[in-house]
Amino acid sequence: MLLKSFAIAGAVAGVLVIAPAASAAAPGVSIQGGAGSGNCPQGSLCIWPNWNHPPQGPVETPSLITKTEWTGSIQGFNFYNGTGRDAVISGFQYGTGAPFKNCAPAGGTGGDLYIPVNVTKVTWQLTPC
């Protein structure tokens, strides 16, 4: 049994050595993973209305789930970008009405918008933001 395990491990290592190097993800390709994605579907950008979640990510329903550019009006505070494209989240700060823009980097990253925002637009970037 032990020899069989070593044989399988050696075969896998051999495949990894000859496999081509991974390239950057093409636009629209999901590279979601890691902590913080909560209940955001793979390959999507999600925005939640509140900062109220465990380390693995929000459990409440997102205010927005999108894979395309979007316009509308939702409350936003947390985001998770599980796509292969950087996105810009635009809107207005609650209380001041001041314009707001924040980068949501690609690659399975999440964060917060620093303040509660009335999100009105999500646009995809051709270059890193």
Side-chain angles (χ1 to χ4, degrees), residues 38-55:
N39 55 1
C40 186
Q42 186 171 356
S44 300
L45 171 81
C46 295
I47 300 174
W48 291 270
N50 301 305
W51 183 268
N52 181 15
H53 60 81

Side-chain angles (χ1 to χ4, degrees), residues 58-123:
V59 293
E60 64 189 351
T61 302
S63 299
L64 175 67
I65 300 171
T66 188
K67 294 181 180 187
T68 62
E69 292 198 347
W70 173 87
T71 58
S73 180
I74 55 110
Q75 181 178 344
F77 191 78
N78 290 346
F79 66 86
Y80 182 84
N81 187 356
T83 74
R85 302 173 286 176
D86 284 2
V88 172
I89 300 169
S90 305
F92 299 94
Q93 298 175 7
Y94 282 116
T96 67
F100 178 88
K101 283 188 178 184
N102 192 67
C103 178
T109 59
D112 64 73
L113 300 173
Y114 307 110
I115 54 172
V117 175
N118 177 27
V119 176
T120 58
K121 191 174 188 179
V122 172
T123 55

